[in-house]
Amino acid sequence: MRTPSSSAEPATYGLSREARNLHWLLTNLVEEVPGLLSVAVVSSDGLLLLSSDPGRNAERPAEKPTGPKGSSADLATIVSGLGSLTIGAAKLMDGGGVKQTVVAMEEGSLFVMAISDGSLLGVHATPDCDMSVVAYHMALFVGRAGHVLTPELRSELRQSMEGAR
């Protein structure tokens, strides 16, 4: 298993080991899965906890949108809203818990997966991404992140995101 690179250290300086590990997991997700445009981890109350933009957006033509208004906060809002909508739909349909939501669009795909305690992982990907590969890697991230995403860590991540603004 690789360790966090020194290029990630400035963004995670002063954070706990658990927070640095989550940043590293998110960076790996973005670097290892082709077609990802942006990724966000959102708390149950809709606040952005982690985000990553792989920089591949520069390869796309300027007239094409590269994400939801190019903002991690916009992706977090969309992920939170979609998560709430699907949870409500599952309750009305007696469908149990929502594990994953996929929205396939002409110009991209949006994936939302439950992590723990209402936290969500959201991924915006290119239209030609391999959806099964994206879903598989999201499930790996959720499996690794879910048990460490404690209330204390969520609070630390919220504070770090507020400090980055």
Side-chain angles (χ1 to χ4, degrees), residues 38-52:
S38 57
V39 180
V41 175
V42 181
S43 67
S44 60
D45 54 358
L47 296 176
L48 182 63
L49 299 177
L50 284 172
S51 71
S52 179

Side-chain angles (χ1 to χ4, degrees), residues 74-121:
D74 288 343
L75 179 60
T77 301
I78 293 166
V79 167
S80 179
L82 189 57
S84 294
L85 179 65
T86 56
I87 289 168
K91 284 180 183 176
L92 286 172
M93 298 173 164
D94 292 325
V98 177
K99 296 179 181 180
Q100 181 179 14
T101 303
V102 179
V103 179
M105 303 168 281
E106 288 179 12
E107 297 297 325
S109 296
L110 175 64
F111 302 80
V112 179
M113 189 174 286
I115 298 177
S116 65
D117 296 336
S119 297
L120 301 167
L121 172 63

Side-chain angles (χ1 to χ4, degrees), residues 5 7 19 30-31 41 43 59 69 97 100 106 118 122 131 136 143-144 148 152 155:
S5 68
S7 64
V30 170
E31 290 176 352
V41 175
S43 67
E59 298 172 9
K69 305 287 188 218
Q100 181 179 14
E106 288 179 12
M131 290 183 168
Y136 172 76
R144 293 172 181 154
V148 298
E152 296 81 15
S155 178

